[in-house]
Amino acid sequence: MTAESEFTVTPYSVDGEIDYEKLLEQFGADQLSDDQITAFPDPAHPLVHRRVFYAERDIDRFLSAVNAGKPHSIVTGRGPSGPMHIGHVLPFYFAKYLQEQTNALVYIPVSDDEKYFLKEMSLEVIGAHTRENLLDLLAVGFDPDRTRIIVDTADGDVVYPLATAFAKAVTQSTIEATYGEPANIGLSFYPAVQATHLLLPQLIEGRHPTLVPIAIDQDPHIRICRDIADKQRYDVDKPSALLSKFLPSLAGPGKMSSSDDAPSILLSDDRETVFEKIRTHAYSGGQSTVDEHREQGGDPERDTSFQFLSYFFETDDERLERISQEYRDGSLLSGELKDIAAENIADFLECHQERRSQLGSLVDELPAYRLTDAERNRARHRVGFLDDGVF
């Protein structure tokens, strides 16, 4: 979708400096309100109370279930087209936080099929990325008793039957109106697979509120799924959505992407690499000389290093406000701000890498997170497939 300010936001392409308010008008989502933020578990996660998650669809029902101690679930997924960077992993740490605070079920779909439809990559290469991404997801530290990881091509026995049921509820004209003309028939069908991801917790556990915390470019998938649920052919509620802004690129405003000219900060980067990337590439909101900066100060809202701290990597609100004020008044220089951000990010990555290093092989670790036979059968049965033991 292209706005007058010349930015593009679709599930498959994000370009330009995004006007988030205008994007809400175009997508028809609602601002996250103060009352809704207050209804999150106390203390609210920084991604919520700092309004990185800034918009929502139908979130009150989910929050009511959380606060009443009723069943609820979270779905947030990964498309394995390359190594994971810090922007990719933030929704998973947020989901883990909610799981710890509210005992939520967490479902993590891995859409290796979609990446094959989208990218000029072989199935072998995508499979290798999938295995590496899975280890990073496991390193986040989810509770295996309340977490399910679904890989589309490995779990076709449940994904395909459900997608088949949902695909009949969506016309090709709806797909093209929502996404544009698909490049291949795989992408025409994929929204039915995405609906399967989002409705799967209810098809296994029974009807309950589900929250999908995602970047706003993925909102079209939510809209299609909510339309399917609204037809009431199945015993499911429309999933709620919590929509986030993008973690900025090192090059400045815009979405961090593994395909940018500016490098991404990967989950595998060591401390020296993090400092080098931020010192060399992070867009500065400061002035061109030290004297000018001391006199005029910098703009933290346009500074990538400060945005990294604000989004996730500085949890202390008072310290963040102090950094912001010192940068605005010129007492904190751009290079000093870069080093603060690099230090915090490197600390985070070292903790993540240490947890990953403690994992065994996927053969040993992943089975605890896979769907059980009973769960697969319940999901298929609830969309109309017989479970009679014949096939």
Side-chain angles (χ1 to χ4, degrees):
M1 181 173 295
T2 303
E4 294 175 2
S5 56
E6 297 185 349
F7 64 84
T8 300
V9 177
T10 77
Y12 308 132
S13 176
V14 177
D15 295 298
E17 186 169 353
I18 298 148
D19 183 331
Y20 286 104
E21 302 305 314
K22 185 172 291 185
L23 193 57
L24 278 194
E25 295 175 11
Q26 293 171 346
F27 281 1
D30 296 316
Q31 287 271 10
L32 192 65
S33 71
D34 292 341
D35 287 344
Q36 288 167 333
I37 290 174
T38 302
F40 274 85
D42 188 26
H45 194 281
L47 289 170
V48 173
H49 79 254
R50 292 176 187 165
R51 298 182 185 274
V52 178
F53 283 113
Y54 81 114
E56 55 86 21
R57 291 187 185 277
D58 202 19
I59 199 172
D60 292 329
R61 188 156 41 86
F62 174 83
L63 292 172
S64 294
V66 167
N67 289 303
K70 294 181 178 179
H72 58 282
S73 62
I74 300 165
V75 180
T76 192
R78 168 68 186 143
S81 59
M84 292 180 68
H85 60 59
I86 55 175
H88 293 142
V89 83
L90 298 193
F92 298 103
Y93 275 96
F94 176 70
K96 179 198 173 188
Y97 170 82
L98 285 181
Q99 185 177 69
E100 292 173 339
Q101 296 294 311
T102 73
N103 206 33
L105 293 168
V106 174
Y107 278 62
I108 304 173
V110 179
S111 52
D112 54 342
D113 51 349
E114 181 196 28
K115 292 309 171 186
Y116 181 64
F117 300 146
L118 278 170
K119 304 288 186 178
E120 293 298 324
M121 291 183 181
S122 68
L123 290 170
E124 182 180 13
V125 168
I126 291 173
H129 289 320
T130 298
R131 289 186 285 275
E132 289 298 314
N133 287 185
L134 285 169
L135 289 169
D136 277 317
L137 294 174
L138 293 174
V140 173
F142 292 102
D143 177 359
D145 291 335
R146 301 193 63 75
T147 306
R148 291 293 179 264
I149 297 175
I150 300 93
V151 180
D152 284 349
T153 59
D155 291 305
D157 63 323
V158 65
V159 171
Y160 183 72
L162 270 57
T164 298
F166 300 146
K168 195 170 183 178
V170 185
T171 65
Q172 184 65 26
S173 61
T174 297
I175 296 300
E176 293 182 7
T178 305
Y179 299 93
E181 185 175 350
N184 52 62
I185 61 173
L187 290 176
S188 289
F189 184 74
Y190 188 74
V193 178
Q194 185 68 266
T196 296
H197 297 161
L198 305 186
L199 297 176
L200 188 57
Q202 296 185 69
L203 295 171
I204 289 174
E205 301 293 338
R207 193 169 191 155
H208 66 263
T210 297
L211 177 66
V212 187
I214 52 171
I216 194 167
D217 61 325
Q218 301 300 303
D219 182 64
H221 292 321
I222 296 290
R223 299 201 302 270
I224 292 288
C225 180
R226 285 171 58 85
D227 286 347
I228 291 171
D230 199 37
K231 290 178 168 53
Q232 299 184 5
R233 296 177 181 175
Y234 308 100
D235 189 21
V236 294
D237 287 328
K238 294 188 289 187
S240 305
L242 191 58
L243 305 172
S244 79
K245 301 175 182 177
F246 301 117
L247 186 71
S249 163
L250 279 170
K255 176 185 179 183
M256 178 173 282
S257 171
S258 301
S259 60
D260 280 347
D261 292 335
S264 300
I265 300 175
L266 304 178
L267 299 188
S268 57
D269 283 345
D270 60 22
R271 183 172 292 271
E272 181 180 355
T273 301
V274 172
F275 271 84
E276 188 277 330
K277 285 182 176 180
I278 289 181
R279 285 172 174 170
T280 304
H281 299 284
Y283 184 86
S284 172
Q287 305 302 324
S288 56
T289 69
V290 171
D291 289 344
E292 288 177 351
H293 188 87
R294 295 292 191 199
E295 180 180 348
Q296 301 175 34
D299 181 358
E301 299 306 314
R302 293 192 61 80
D303 191 289
T304 294
S305 296
F306 182 82
Q307 292 305 304
F308 286 171
L309 293 172
S310 178
Y311 274 43
F312 189 78
F313 295 104
E314 175 53 67
T315 59
D316 187 314
D317 289 342
E318 291 184 2
R319 175 170 165 76
L320 185 70
E321 178 56 35
R322 184 167 65 251
I323 291 170
S324 174
Q325 184 56 48
E326 290 176 356
Y327 196 58
R328 289 182 188 279
D329 67 26
S331 59
L332 182 69
L333 299 176
S334 294
E336 294 170 331
L337 177 56
K338 287 184 177 186
D339 283 353
I340 292 171
E343 186 75 22
N344 285 25
I345 293 170
D347 288 347
F348 167 82
L349 290 180
E350 286 183 350
C351 291
H352 178 88
Q353 292 161 8
E354 175 62 23
R355 286 193 299 274
R356 177 169 164 157
S357 73
Q358 297 301 312
L359 295 171
S361 69
L362 281 179
V363 172
D364 294 328
E365 300 286 351
L366 193 58
Y369 298 85
R370 297 291 301 278
L371 295 171
T372 66
D373 288 343
E375 289 167 344
R376 294 168 193 270
N377 288 335
R378 283 203 300 273
R380 289 190 294 253
H381 179 72
R382 283 178 168 143
V383 298
F385 287 90
L386 296 178
D387 178 22
D388 57 8
V390 175
F391 52 82

